[in-house]
Amino acid sequence: MSAQRILIVEDEPSIADNIVFALKTEGFAPHWCRTGAEALSACQTDPPALVLLDVGLPDISGFDLCRQLRQHSAVPIIFLTARDSEIDKVVGLEIGGDDYVVKPFSPRELTARVRARLRNFTPAANPVALRLALDEQRHSARLDEVELNLTRYEFRLLAVLHGAPGRVYSRDQLLEMIWTDPSAAFDRTVDTHIKTLRQKLKAAGERVNPIRTHRGLGYSYDPQGL
């Protein structure tokens, strides 16, 4: 049986080295990332069994990274931080964290917490591809047997993304392709429609999130979800 992969998101090399050593000693397969961007890429390429997440990262708050991960993953997340205030702990747990370890910490205690979280975690069944049907002439969309009741722009947005799975479209590209008068719209117009589109897909019974956000780039469609 292969070792469980643990993702360490920590910008301090000395701390990361200690964690890597402790995890390897306990039979895990640690993978270290210095930034949130590296962590997101690592999660998409090879999803870990658990994430050890520092709150104070150089490019993004660990809390914000947790929110992004929780959009598509139930992987256990243990926060690592020097912040020991009650409010920080409450925020970390309320946004989807599973545990909170304050620095400095014992590597043995940390690996014990990792084992405990993995022992209590039951991964969800593998999601199936969405059975989405689009009718271009009627501007209608159905997820399985459920009508999505999309607005004109929501339908156009879904049709463009769905028509080229995996392709990343910038907000400007989507404005030009979809909106009647792109100059009268704003970048946030796209974000707002993406949000309501996701909500309608979820309400119709989708178990995965097929619309992927690419930070700083735009959006793409993944029929297998995230």
Side-chain angles (χ1 to χ4, degrees), residues 79-101:
F79 282 111
L80 307 176
T81 179
R83 305 178 184 179
D84 60 356
S85 69
E86 181 180 2
I87 186 62
D88 283 326
K89 294 179 181 179
V90 170
V91 169
L93 296 175
E94 286 189 344
I95 64 174
D98 296 281
D99 204 349
Y100 199 102
V101 179

Side-chain angles (χ1 to χ4, degrees), residues 189-203:
T189 300
V190 175
D191 297 341
T192 299
H193 282 75
I194 288 287
K195 180 179 180 180
T196 58
L197 185 53
R198 283 171 169 160
Q199 290 172 343
K200 290 184 178 181
L201 285 166
K202 184 175 182 178

Side-chain angles (χ1 to χ4, degrees), residues 11-179:
D11 64 327
E12 289 291 338
S14 59
I15 297 176
D17 286 344
N18 286 333
I19 297 173
V20 167
F21 178 79
L23 290 173
K24 283 185 176 180
T25 300
E26 294 296 321
F28 293 106
H31 179 81
W32 174 36
C33 293
R34 293 173 181 263
T35 67
E38 290 178 16
L40 286 173
S41 177
C43 285
Q44 294 172 1
T45 302
D46 188 4
L50 182 142
V51 177
L52 296 173
L53 177 56
D54 183 26
V55 172
L57 298 173
D59 60 337
I60 185 176
S61 162
F63 291 151
D64 289 337
L65 179 56
C66 178
R67 291 187 183 96
Q68 292 187 36
L69 291 174
R70 282 291 175 259
Q71 291 179 13
H72 55 76
S73 174
V75 62
I77 296 174
I78 299 178
F79 282 111
L80 307 176
T81 179
R83 305 178 184 179
D84 60 356
S85 69
E86 181 180 2
I87 186 62
D88 283 326
K89 294 179 181 179
V90 170
V91 169
L93 296 175
E94 286 189 344
I95 64 174
D98 296 281
D99 204 349
Y100 199 102
V101 179
V102 178
K103 301 175 183 176
F105 50 79
S106 160
R108 289 186 62 185
E109 178 190 354
L110 182 61
T111 54
R113 288 175 181 260
V114 168
R115 287 196 181 282
R117 287 298 161 189
L118 290 174
R119 197 162 48 239
N120 296 328
F121 177 64
T122 303
N126 292 332
V128 297
L130 294 180
R131 292 174 289 276
L132 183 66
L134 302 182
D135 186 330
E136 296 279 355
Q137 293 184 337
R138 297 181 179 180
H139 270 220
S140 66
R142 301 179 71 87
L143 180 67
D144 291 331
E145 298 303 316
V146 180
E147 182 71 32
L148 293 179
N149 296 317
L150 304 180
T151 65
R152 175 179 55 172
Y153 289 124
E154 288 169 352
F155 177 84
R156 290 180 181 177
L157 186 56
L158 182 58
V160 168
L161 295 173
H162 180 264
R167 175 177 173 179
V168 179
Y169 290 92
S170 69
R171 292 177 177 83
D172 287 342
Q173 288 175 320
L174 292 172
L175 284 172
E176 288 291 337
M177 297 173 69
I178 295 168
W179 268 259

